[in-house]
PDB file of all heavy atoms in Angstrom:
ATOM      1  N   PRO A 232      83.816  35.033 186.231  1.00 88.00           N
ATOM      2  CA  PRO A 232      83.846  35.555 187.487  1.00 88.00           C
ATOM      3  C   PRO A 232      82.694  35.110 188.449  1.00 88.00           C
ATOM      4  O   PRO A 232      82.952  34.780 189.652  1.00 88.00           O
ATOM      5  CB  PRO A 232      83.758  37.117 187.321  1.00 88.00           C
ATOM      6  CG  PRO A 232      84.265  37.245 185.838  1.00 88.00           C
ATOM      7  CD  PRO A 232      83.861  36.044 185.198  1.00 88.00           C
ATOM      8  N   LEU A 233      81.493  34.849 187.705  1.00 88.00           N
ATOM      9  CA  LEU A 233      80.374  34.321 188.523  1.00 88.00           C
ATOM     10  C   LEU A 233      80.641  32.991 189.090  1.00 88.00           C
ATOM     11  O   LEU A 233      80.368  32.605 190.125  1.00 88.00           O
ATOM     12  CB  LEU A 233      79.162  34.407 187.721  1.00 88.00           C
ATOM     13  CG  LEU A 233      78.570  35.868 187.462  1.00 88.00           C
ATOM     14  CD1 LEU A 233      77.298  35.670 186.525  1.00 88.00           C
ATOM     15  CD2 LEU A 233      78.138  36.422 188.768  1.00 88.00           C
ATOM     16  N   ARG A 234      81.247  32.056 188.192  1.00 89.00           N
ATOM     17  CA  ARG A 234      81.577  30.699 188.639  1.00 89.00           C
ATOM     18  C   ARG A 234      82.579  30.730 189.742  1.00 89.00           C
ATOM     19  O   ARG A 234      82.443  29.957 190.740  1.00 89.00           O
ATOM     20  CB  ARG A 234      82.134  29.889 187.472  1.00 89.00           C
ATOM     21  CG  ARG A 234      80.996  29.579 186.350  1.00 89.00           C
ATOM     22  CD  ARG A 234      81.524  28.407 185.565  1.00 89.00           C
ATOM     23  NE  ARG A 234      82.605  28.819 184.663  1.00 89.00           N
ATOM     24  CZ  ARG A 234      82.494  29.433 183.515  1.00 89.00           C
ATOM     25  NH1 ARG A 234      81.373  29.602 182.931  1.00 89.00           N
ATOM     26  NH2 ARG A 234      83.549  29.720 182.776  1.00 89.00           N
ATOM     27  N   TRP A 235      83.580  31.545 189.614  1.00 90.00           N
ATOM     28  CA  TRP A 235      84.668  31.621 190.711  1.00 90.00           C
ATOM     29  C   TRP A 235      84.037  32.256 191.950  1.00 90.00           C
ATOM     30  O   TRP A 235      84.329  31.628 193.115  1.00 90.00           O
ATOM     31  CB  TRP A 235      85.785  32.546 190.245  1.00 90.00           C
ATOM     32  CG  TRP A 235      86.800  31.939 189.340  1.00 90.00           C
ATOM     33  CD1 TRP A 235      86.921  32.161 188.085  1.00 90.00           C
ATOM     34  CD2 TRP A 235      87.678  30.886 189.672  1.00 90.00           C
ATOM     35  NE1 TRP A 235      87.958  31.340 187.525  1.00 90.00           N
ATOM     36  CE2 TRP A 235      88.466  30.467 188.562  1.00 90.00           C
ATOM     37  CE3 TRP A 235      87.957  30.040 190.872  1.00 90.00           C
ATOM     38  CZ2 TRP A 235      89.333  29.554 188.473  1.00 90.00           C
ATOM     39  CZ3 TRP A 235      88.901  29.103 190.932  1.00 90.00           C
ATOM     40  CH2 TRP A 235      89.656  28.894 189.702  1.00 90.00           C
ATOM     41  N   ALA A 236      83.112  33.101 191.836  1.00 91.00           N
ATOM     42  CA  ALA A 236      82.510  33.703 193.072  1.00 91.00           C
ATOM     43  C   ALA A 236      81.629  32.759 193.736  1.00 91.00           C
ATOM     44  O   ALA A 236      81.603  32.482 194.900  1.00 91.00           O
ATOM     45  CB  ALA A 236      81.641  34.902 192.684  1.00 91.00           C
ATOM     46  N   GLY A 237      80.929  31.856 192.899  1.00 88.00           N
ATOM     47  CA  GLY A 237      80.015  30.780 193.497  1.00 88.00           C
ATOM     48  C   GLY A 237      80.963  29.725 194.099  1.00 88.00           C
ATOM     49  O   GLY A 237      80.640  29.190 195.221  1.00 88.00           O
ATOM     50  N   THR A 238      82.041  29.351 193.511  1.00 89.00           N
ATOM     51  CA  THR A 238      83.021  28.486 194.068  1.00 89.00           C
ATOM     52  C   THR A 238      83.530  28.922 195.383  1.00 89.00           C
ATOM     53  O   THR A 238      83.554  28.129 196.465  1.00 89.00           O
ATOM     54  CB  THR A 238      84.077  28.085 193.114  1.00 89.00           C
ATOM     55  OG1 THR A 238      83.553  27.626 192.019  1.00 89.00           O
ATOM     56  CG2 THR A 238      85.044  27.055 193.701  1.00 89.00           C
ATOM     57  N   PHE A 239      83.944  30.155 195.463  1.00 91.00           N
ATOM     58  CA  PHE A 239      84.561  30.583 196.765  1.00 91.00           C
ATOM     59  C   PHE A 239      83.448  30.657 197.781  1.00 91.00           C
ATOM     60  O   PHE A 239      83.708  30.522 199.042  1.00 91.00           O
ATOM     61  CB  PHE A 239      85.280  31.890 196.484  1.00 91.00           C
ATOM     62  CG  PHE A 239      86.514  31.782 195.778  1.00 91.00           C
ATOM     63  CD1 PHE A 239      86.785  32.591 194.641  1.00 91.00           C
ATOM     64  CD2 PHE A 239      87.546  30.898 196.212  1.00 91.00           C
ATOM     65  CE1 PHE A 239      87.988  32.413 193.993  1.00 91.00           C
ATOM     66  CE2 PHE A 239      88.675  30.749 195.546  1.00 91.00           C
ATOM     67  CZ  PHE A 239      88.920  31.520 194.529  1.00 91.00           C
ATOM     68  N   ALA A 240      82.272  31.042 197.478  1.00 90.00           N
ATOM     69  CA  ALA A 240      81.114  31.163 198.390  1.00 90.00           C
ATOM     70  C   ALA A 240      80.876  29.873 199.020  1.00 90.00           C
ATOM     71  O   ALA A 240      80.664  29.615 200.324  1.00 90.00           O
ATOM     72  CB  ALA A 240      79.909  31.796 197.826  1.00 90.00           C
ATOM     73  N   VAL A 241      80.850  28.807 198.243  1.00 88.00           N
ATOM     74  CA  VAL A 241      80.558  27.466 198.770  1.00 88.00           C
ATOM     75  C   VAL A 241      81.727  27.015 199.631  1.00 88.00           C
ATOM     76  O   VAL A 241      81.479  26.491 200.701  1.00 88.00           O
ATOM     77  CB  VAL A 241      80.389  26.443 197.560  1.00 88.00           C
ATOM     78  CG1 VAL A 241      80.480  25.018 198.055  1.00 88.00           C
ATOM     79  CG2 VAL A 241      79.156  26.790 196.838  1.00 88.00           C
ATOM     80  N   LEU A 242      83.040  27.279 199.272  1.00 89.00           N
ATOM     81  CA  LEU A 242      84.159  26.933 200.117  1.00 89.00           C
ATOM     82  C   LEU A 242      84.094  27.695 201.435  1.00 89.00           C
ATOM     83  O   LEU A 242      84.349  27.199 202.594  1.00 89.00           O
ATOM     84  CB  LEU A 242      85.367  27.257 199.420  1.00 89.00           C
ATOM     85  CG  LEU A 242      85.783  26.370 198.135  1.00 89.00           C
ATOM     86  CD1 LEU A 242      86.969  26.825 197.398  1.00 89.00           C
ATOM     87  CD2 LEU A 242      85.857  24.860 198.588  1.00 89.00           C
ATOM     88  N   ALA A 243      83.704  29.046 201.394  1.00 91.00           N
ATOM     89  CA  ALA A 243      83.587  29.818 202.593  1.00 91.00           C
ATOM     90  C   ALA A 243      82.423  29.193 203.511  1.00 91.00           C
ATOM     91  O   ALA A 243      82.617  29.118 204.755  1.00 91.00           O
ATOM     92  CB  ALA A 243      83.392  31.192 202.303  1.00 91.00           C
ATOM     93  N   LEU A 244      81.351  28.879 202.939  1.00 88.00           N
ATOM     94  CA  LEU A 244      80.322  28.208 203.714  1.00 88.00           C
ATOM     95  C   LEU A 244      80.585  27.011 204.409  1.00 88.00           C
ATOM     96  O   LEU A 244      80.335  26.674 205.520  1.00 88.00           O
ATOM     97  CB  LEU A 244      79.021  28.083 202.822  1.00 88.00           C
ATOM     98  CG  LEU A 244      77.783  27.492 203.507  1.00 88.00           C
ATOM     99  CD1 LEU A 244      77.346  28.429 204.647  1.00 88.00           C
ATOM    100  CD2 LEU A 244      76.617  27.274 202.547  1.00 88.00           C
ATOM    101  N   LEU A 245      81.426  26.182 203.599  1.00 86.00           N
ATOM    102  CA  LEU A 245      81.894  24.839 204.109  1.00 86.00           C
ATOM    103  C   LEU A 245      82.817  25.086 205.323  1.00 86.00           C
ATOM    104  O   LEU A 245      82.735  24.381 206.369  1.00 86.00           O
ATOM    105  CB  LEU A 245      82.508  24.016 203.020  1.00 86.00           C
ATOM    106  CG  LEU A 245      83.088  22.690 203.433  1.00 86.00           C
ATOM    107  CD1 LEU A 245      82.049  21.761 203.942  1.00 86.00           C
ATOM    108  CD2 LEU A 245      83.806  22.044 202.282  1.00 86.00           C
ATOM    109  N   ALA A 246      83.782  26.054 205.154  1.00 86.00           N
ATOM    110  CA  ALA A 246      84.700  26.313 206.169  1.00 86.00           C
ATOM    111  C   ALA A 246      83.910  26.885 207.474  1.00 86.00           C
ATOM    112  O   ALA A 246      84.329  26.474 208.591  1.00 86.00           O
ATOM    113  CB  ALA A 246      85.638  27.424 205.729  1.00 86.00           C
ATOM    114  N   LEU A 247      82.917  27.593 207.295  1.00 83.00           N
ATOM    115  CA  LEU A 247      82.068  28.107 208.388  1.00 83.00           C
ATOM    116  C   LEU A 247      81.476  26.929 209.114  1.00 83.00           C
ATOM    117  O   LEU A 247      81.367  26.942 210.416  1.00 83.00           O
ATOM    118  CB  LEU A 247      81.023  29.128 207.939  1.00 83.00           C
ATOM    119  CG  LEU A 247      80.152  29.770 208.920  1.00 83.00           C
ATOM    120  CD1 LEU A 247      81.035  30.576 210.065  1.00 83.00           C
ATOM    121  CD2 LEU A 247      79.195  30.733 208.321  1.00 83.00           C
TER     122      LEU A 247
END
Side-chain angles (χ1 to χ4, degrees):
L233 287 177
R234 286 197 297 269
W235 280 111
T238 301
F239 286 127
V241 171
L242 291 175
L244 182 60
L245 179 60
L247 180 61

